[in-house]
Amino acid sequence: MQEFLQQLANGVAWGSIYALIALGYTMVYGILRLINFAHGDIYMVGAFAAYFLARAMGVGTVVEASPLVAAAVLLGSMVICAALGVLIELFAYRPVRRSSRITALITAIGVSLFLENAGIRIFGADPKFFPQVIAPRTIALAGGVMVTNHQIMVVVVSVLLMVALTLFIQKTRTGKAMRAVAFNRDAASLMGIPVDRIITITFAIGSALAAAAGFLVGLTNPKIEPLMGIMPGVKAFVAAVLGGIGSIPGAVIGGLVMGISEYMVVGYISSTYRDAIAFVILIIVLLIKPTGLLGRNVTEKV
Amino acid sequence: MSLLEVENLNVHYGAIHALKGVSLAAEEGGIVTLVGANGAGKSTTLRAISGLIKPSAGSIRFRGKSLVGVKPHEIVREGVSHVPEGRIVFANLTVLDNLEMGAYLRKDRAGCVEDLKKVFRLFPRLDERRRQAAGTLSGGEQQMLAIGRALMAKPTLLLMDEPSLGLAPILVREIFSVIREIRSQGTTIVLVEQNARLALATADRGYVLETGSVRMSDRAQVLLESPFVQAAYLGGPG
Ligand SMILES: Nc1ncnc2c1ncn2[C@@H]1O[C@H](COP(=O)(O)OP(=O)(O)OP(=O)(O)O)[C@@H](O)[C@H]1O
Ligand SMILES: [Mg+2]
């Protein structure tokens, strides 16, 4: 039982990171029907942006590690990645928006390779050690479960961001416009909604969430490198598909399921199969319910 | 100068030449109707006016200003709203949110509140269902919502694409009385209809479209009485 709870706690923390990445996939897919293959690499850039920001601020040498410093680093990397997402949308995806889906897909793969190779060039291929923006501490929960304050922070930050995103999408005019554009782009433009700008905003938000995931992963698994986005990118994509691509609550649930099942495999089978479980889940979803847990039927009646 | 002047409008969908030099005009405060068979190019004409498709040739002027190449949302800002064929309400949004989207570009909150009341007066059924997801409305209610949503932009010119499509006769009468009401409040209307009899009886002027060209145009009353229109579109005289 203790083992189970321990793996559950680890899985929830890890799954929150998948969920944050999956949100970006699902939002972009919802609005453009595009699988943004570069999304995992944006998460990588987020981790590096946080790394360089923390270094530039002199964390650990000039300034003490503190929640305030961590928040500044987090926000900074989110802003940097939001800008990166906007640039990618503007210069890579917008020019091919009216082309075939295969063109868009190839463009996305190209952007992904570009970011990975630019990362290797600029940051170097060897792993970097993420600075400790918050001093680590281990906390004993009930039932002998041990968690770190970093894991708690991962969950808390993820939940806060998800709540903020949900409120934004449900309550604000821009959020409603995002849903309108996702439902039908032409009809939205007939309402006076500036569709291009809404798409840009979607990329900015999705990329900022990926950056947050990059920061949080740096906190818990402090070795970062330019290809670190590939595997989590794939798994978060599976999470989005599992939840029902296009569905925001689906992405959260999918991310958590992915994280938890991964740790259950580690705890009860072998860590060798840790990455395999993602593909097992993907195959099962595609066989049994291709629309995912919360996905609507693809042919939306209009 | 007419409020809307379309001249020699040509539209291609790839190799398909959908509009072959359509010209039409809408006078301020009037109702103009475009009638014609399936595939005649009625929707294409409206889609070109509201900027959803780019014409390959021709001009579209609204208040003397060219709309060709202007983005759809900018055209809404100019005062042209379009109730699309098939309604296309945002099914995942509530009735109220749909109406809010209609007023997306407006900054005058007080005016919006006033216009929301007006829409609810026009369509009390929407008021009763304001918190309901638009996708759960009946076809007739969705049509009301699509019209109400377009009115929330406070348009000078309202383009309506087959508002009576698929509705029971009683609802069709209700929608047409609303169309007259909207006109009486000063909004100019371009009405696309397959129900030619009702459309011509409601409009001031009519255009008969056939395979991408204007076959006839005249005062609506004259078209109603024309033997050609009667034979081809009204199922014989009377
Ligand atoms: N997206 C498109 N791609 C290719 N061809 C199209 C497209 N939309 C319309 N067309 C063609 O253009 C022509 C005009 O179509 P349009 O929809 O304007 O007709 P309509 O008069 O509105 O007909 P209906 O009464 O059936 O709505 C038709 O031949 C149609 O097949
Ligand atoms: Mg049509």
Side-chain angles (χ1 to χ4, degrees), chain A residues 94 170-174 176-198 296 301-302, chain B residues 47 50 52 71-73 76 80-84 86 88-93 97-98 100-107 149-150 153:
Chain A
R94 187 169 298 184
Q170 294 297 329
K171 302 285 180 212
T172 68
R173 213 169 57 115
T174 307
K176 291 172 194 174
M178 280 169 67
R179 284 189 286 149
V181 173
F183 183 79
N184 188 302
R185 209 185 293 169
D186 279 353
S189 70
L190 292 181
M191 299 299 107
I193 296 172
V195 170
D196 283 340
R197 192 185 319 153
I198 298 293
R296 270 183 304 239
K301 234 179 87 185
V302 283
Chain B
R47 290 168 61 81
S50 54
L52 291 178
K71 292 224 167 110
H73 72 270
V76 176
V80 180
S81 281
H82 180 167
V83 184
I88 322 189
V89 296
F90 304 119
N92 48 344
L93 269 62
D97 287 345
N98 268 271
E100 188 190 337
M101 288 298 101
Y104 191 84
L105 290 171
R106 290 177 63 178
K107 301 268 181 285
R149 191 176 64 168

Side-chain angles (χ1 to χ4, degrees), chain B residues 43 85 161-162:
Chain B
S43 300
E85 185 173 19
D161 199 342
E162 303 207 28

Side-chain angles (χ1 to χ4, degrees), chain A residues 136-153:
Chain A
R137 213 150 36 86
T138 304
I139 298 158
L141 298 183
V145 176
M146 305 296 279
V147 294
T148 65
N149 58 338
H150 288 168
Q151 282 178 311
I152 291 177
M153 192 166 157

Side-chain angles (χ1 to χ4, degrees), chain A residues 255-292:
Chain A
L256 289 175
V257 171
M258 289 290 296
I260 292 168
S261 40
E262 206 174 305
Y263 270 91
M264 290 303 162
V265 168
V266 171
Y268 290 102
I269 305 173
S270 155
S271 56
T272 320
Y273 297 118
R274 180 176 181 163
D275 292 339
I277 184 71
F279 300 100
V280 173
I281 290 178
L282 181 62
I283 290 165
I284 293 173
V285 174
L286 292 181
L287 283 179
I288 295 176
K289 200 165 185 298
T291 53

Side-chain angles (χ1 to χ4, degrees), chain B:
Chain B
M1 187 183 72
S2 311
L3 184 67
L4 175 74
E5 290 172 323
V6 174
E7 258 169 64
N8 187 34
L9 189 64
N10 279 266
V11 171
H12 286 83
Y13 292 107
I16 297 172
H17 197 174
L19 292 188
K20 305 161 187 159
V22 167
S23 298
L24 58 88
E27 303 303 326
E28 186 137 23
I31 299 182
V32 165
T33 185
L34 311 183
V35 297
N38 292 112
K42 306 180 296 294
S43 300
T44 302
T45 306
L46 296 194
R47 290 168 61 81
I49 295 170
S50 54
L52 291 178
I53 36 176
K54 242 198 172 128
S56 39
S59 70
I60 303 166
R61 295 186 170 277
F62 177 68
R63 287 170 160 160
K65 208 177 138 186
S66 172
L67 295 186
V68 174
V70 181
K71 292 224 167 110
H73 72 270
E74 294 294 345
I75 291 176
V76 176
R77 199 193 293 280
E78 293 292 329
V80 180
S81 281
H82 180 167
V83 184
E85 185 173 19
R87 296 135 201 171
I88 322 189
V89 296
F90 304 119
N92 48 344
L93 269 62
T94 65
V95 167
L96 209 53
D97 287 345
N98 268 271
L99 294 170
E100 188 190 337
M101 288 298 101
Y104 191 84
L105 290 171
R106 290 177 63 178
K107 301 268 181 285
D108 56 325
R109 279 197 83 87
C112 288
V113 171
E114 206 42 56
D115 284 339
L116 188 66
K117 280 191 200 145
K118 255 194 219 163
V119 168
F120 285 150
R121 229 176 291 133
L122 226 40
F123 302 114
R125 284 212 246 172
L126 294 183
D127 195 1
E128 291 158 25
R129 293 164 174 77
R130 50 165 79 195
R131 307 234 170 263
Q132 202 169 313
T136 63
L137 298 179
S138 76
E141 290 157 1
Q142 291 193 8
Q143 187 62 62
M144 295 172 190
L145 180 56
I147 297 171
R149 191 176 64 168
L151 289 176
M152 287 304 293
K154 217 175 182 177
T156 313
L157 174 67
L158 185 61
L159 313 173
M160 306 178 88
D161 199 342
E162 303 207 28
S164 76
L165 190 75
L167 301 188
I170 180 155
L171 267 178
V172 173
R173 277 199 293 279
E174 194 178 328
I175 296 281
F176 269 81
S177 88
V178 165
I179 291 173
R180 280 189 292 268
E181 166 93 32
I182 294 168
R183 188 262 297 270
S184 75
Q185 293 176 2
T187 306
T188 308
I189 296 172
V190 176
L191 174 66
V192 160
E193 264 298 335
Q194 296 227 19
N195 189 336
R197 186 184 302 278
L198 200 49
L200 288 170
T202 310
D204 303 299
R205 204 177 164 75
Y207 292 81
V208 179
L209 250 63
E210 276 183 7
T211 56
S213 307
V214 176
R215 166 74 191 251
M216 275 179 94
S217 70
D218 212 321
R219 280 183 28 239
Q221 193 56 40
V222 175
L223 290 179
L224 260 182
E225 287 159 7
S226 133
F228 165 74
V229 173
Q230 289 187 347
Y233 296 99
L234 304 175

